[in-house]
Amino acid sequence: MLSLSDPYNYVLRKESKVEDFPWDVSLYEGRFYIYWGPVPSLLLTALPIGILNRMGDQHLVLPFMLGLFIYLTLFLVNASLKFNYNLPAWMIGLALLAIGISMPGTMMLSRPKIYEASIAGCQFFFIGGCFWAFSAVSRGDRLALWKFFLAGIHWALAFGTRTIILPAILFFAAVIVFCVITGSRKVVRSGDFSRSLPERLKSLLRFRDLLIIQVLAAMGIPLALAAVFLGWYNWARFGSVSEFGVTYMLTNTDYSQFKSLFSIRYMDENLLDYFLRPYQIQVKFPFITPTENLVSNDRMAGLPYTTPYFLLALIPILRFFRPGGQSENPLEKWMILALGGASVISLVIILSYYFTAMRFADDFMPGLLLLATMGLEQGYRLISGNEKVSKGYLLLAILFAAFSITASALIALPASRVKDVLHFFEMLGVR
């Protein structure tokens, strides 16, 4: 391959019958490099080589997905306690089930590869950082700097796993800082009012500035160290701090010539693939299957068809922008802004990417599913005075959750396991 005039040219490699090389890795100055974020590999270095030799990508995807679900559960439970959710306990349990068994997470578990390991690891660390940041500010005037530091560490690991998460991290962190600023004003105002106004203003400025510096340092130092490490890592491999290896990838696209990885012109088609493309209905079990996308050679199914539960996220988002329709709790308003904004940022990044794949939806879906449950509570709170309407609303939410669980499980079922499932039903007497 090194003797070719352009080893990155897929057609030239095909014509020269050069096929004996690792696919989808970076080639630079005669060496192969994996361009994925290094954090998961760094974590694996703690394991003995004998165990590593028996491990596959699925051994990373499963614990990352389980950890992500645990953090989503912790976030939701803390939010329900902090914001005094009125939803029945069984509805919270059903919501957690919908979050845990929804597309595209179930499909990622059904075919776990290095792609899925990167996405699952990134979301585990990102949502984990969001949980610790929320936990830090939910204490009111008793801010826990160690929790901000834990949030920063999680976000640094997320950035080191999948770099495109950085804009979402920065947005969430910025909202948290503004939340701290508004909270610090209340803390100082409730202090000693026997002093003169100039003294109180100076105290406010000193207290608030010191608090902001501490919070920024706790969250920012881990992120800054991660950026320095990634810059060195890139320079050591490719001689450039900003080169992650994408330019030198060996796939069916010549990335040394193709520079339009992200563009708004891809959004129309990607919106169709991720949200409007229906699945195929068939007579035989499992009855539904995603349709093949000829452009990316990946099977797709629109998220509203597979996971309608996430549509409940529209309730808090629309209420936030409606005058006078925001949440009564200021902290809940900040969390809706942080989660919604971060999820939308990740969604825009994925929609502007030239390549589509169902797994990429997990770059923005965890936050939206969490926001959907907060929206479920807000909607229930608004109509709690009308018993009939409340029952109808809960019934609709149950249908959304049940359909999401069922459709996601059926679509994610590997074709190789269909016979095993049918045999299991036959053992139960179901034909």
Side-chain angles (χ1 to χ4, degrees):
M1 182 161 58
L2 294 179
S3 65
L4 299 177
S5 58
D6 183 6
Y8 306 105
N9 189 312
Y10 174 75
V11 176
L12 183 59
R13 292 199 308 265
K14 203 73 174 176
E15 292 176 347
S16 304
K17 297 182 180 180
V18 177
E19 298 177 350
D20 188 17
F21 65 91
W23 182 260
D24 208 3
V25 302
S26 300
L27 172 67
Y28 182 73
E29 293 188 349
R31 295 175 181 267
F32 292 122
Y33 297 95
I34 297 177
Y35 62 86
W36 311 99
V39 167
S41 297
L42 288 174
L43 297 177
L44 289 176
T45 57
L47 299 177
I49 190 65
I51 295 178
L52 289 176
N53 285 336
R54 297 192 297 271
M55 287 186 64
D57 296 319
Q58 70 274 15
H59 296 106
L60 275 176
V61 176
L62 180 59
F64 277 148
M65 293 296 291
L66 288 175
L68 171 61
F69 177 70
I70 290 173
Y71 268 135
L72 289 169
T73 303
L74 290 174
F75 199 118
L76 182 57
V77 170
N78 276 264
S80 65
L81 295 175
K82 179 66 179 178
F83 306 139
N84 298 318
Y85 280 7
N86 297 321
L87 281 172
W90 60 266
M91 191 66 223
I92 295 290
L94 183 61
L96 286 172
L97 196 60
I99 291 174
I101 309 177
S102 287
M103 290 284 287
T106 46
M107 181 174 282
M108 291 173 62
L109 286 171
S110 70
R111 49 182 189 187
K113 298 180 181 179
I114 191 170
Y115 310 94
E116 287 75 15
S118 175
I119 297 171
C122 172
Q123 286 302 303
F124 164 68
F125 292 123
F126 173 64
I127 296 296
C130 296
F131 163 73
W132 286 113
F134 167 60
S135 180
V137 298
S138 64
R139 294 166 57 90
D141 59 337
R142 296 173 297 168
L143 295 178
L145 289 176
W146 65 272
K147 291 186 177 181
F148 286 115
F149 185 64
L150 272 179
I153 291 176
H154 277 73
W155 286 337
L157 295 174
F159 179 43
T161 303
R162 191 163 172 80
T163 56
I164 62 172
I165 196 63
L166 183 60
I169 291 174
L170 295 178
F171 181 86
F172 199 102
V175 173
I176 291 296
V177 171
F178 277 107
C179 184
V180 171
I181 292 173
T182 57
S184 67
R185 291 174 183 168
K186 298 178 181 179
V187 173
V188 177
R189 285 172 183 169
S190 63
D192 182 12
F193 283 89
S194 62
R195 295 176 298 172
S196 64
L197 179 60
E199 289 177 341
R200 294 206 307 268
L201 289 175
K202 289 180 181 179
S203 176
L204 171 61
L205 291 174
R206 285 196 300 268
F207 177 84
R208 195 173 69 182
D209 290 346
L210 178 61
L211 189 62
I212 295 171
I213 290 173
Q214 290 175 329
V215 171
L216 285 174
M219 293 191 300
I221 288 176
L223 278 171
L225 291 176
V228 171
F229 171 76
L230 286 175
W232 167 84
Y233 184 56
N234 292 338
W235 177 81
R237 293 179 299 165
F238 307 114
S240 171
V241 296
S242 60
E243 177 57 61
F244 289 87
V246 175
T247 305
Y248 308 108
M249 286 193 299
L250 296 173
T251 64
N252 53 9
T253 301
D254 187 352
Y255 288 95
S256 63
Q257 303 297 324
F258 181 67
K259 303 299 182 182
S260 300
L261 268 72
F262 295 91
S263 175
I264 59 174
R265 68 174 183 266
Y266 304 134
M267 286 191 171
D268 291 344
E269 185 65 27
N270 288 348
L271 276 170
L272 170 65
D273 288 334
Y274 288 110
F275 293 98
L276 301 178
R277 184 181 293 274
Y279 42 65
Q280 293 179 340
I281 300 177
Q282 56 189 26
V283 178
K284 296 182 179 180
F285 183 84
F287 309 119
I288 55 177
T289 180
T291 58
E292 186 173 359
N293 184 353
L294 298 179
V295 177
S296 63
N297 197 29
D298 191 85
R299 290 193 167 272
M300 307 288 295
L303 292 170
Y305 300 104
T306 62
T307 316
Y309 179 77
F310 92 95
L311 295 175
L312 294 172
L314 294 174
I315 296 176
I317 293 177
L318 293 177
R319 288 193 73 217
F320 183 88
F321 290 103
R322 179 186 173 187
Q326 292 93 339
S327 170
E328 296 81 5
N329 191 310
L331 180 58
E332 188 175 13
K333 180 184 70 174
W334 285 116
M335 286 303 103
I336 290 171
L337 175 61
L339 276 173
S343 299
V344 170
I345 288 172
S346 295
L347 170 61
V348 170
I349 291 174
I350 295 303
L351 291 180
S352 61
Y353 186 49
Y354 88 101
F355 191 85
T356 56
M358 203 66 222
R359 60 179 177 269
F360 293 156
D362 211 47
D363 282 305
F364 57 84
M365 277 296 285
L368 288 181
L369 289 171
L370 190 57
L371 201 62
T373 307
M374 298 176 73
L376 173 63
E377 160 60 24
Q378 285 195 358
Y380 185 72
R381 193 187 310 162
L382 287 173
I383 59 176
S384 57
N386 191 318
E387 185 177 353
K388 290 185 178 180
V389 176
S390 297
K391 289 182 178 179
Y393 177 76
L394 285 180
L395 178 60
L396 180 63
I398 292 171
L399 291 175
F400 274 13
F403 190 91
S404 299
I405 294 168
T406 305
S408 298
L410 290 175
I411 287 180
L413 184 66
S416 59
R417 296 297 182 183
V418 170
K419 291 183 178 180
D420 296 335
V421 175
L422 291 176
H423 179 65
F424 173 76
F425 282 128
E426 289 177 357
M427 292 175 60
L428 297 177
V430 179
R431 294 184 179 273

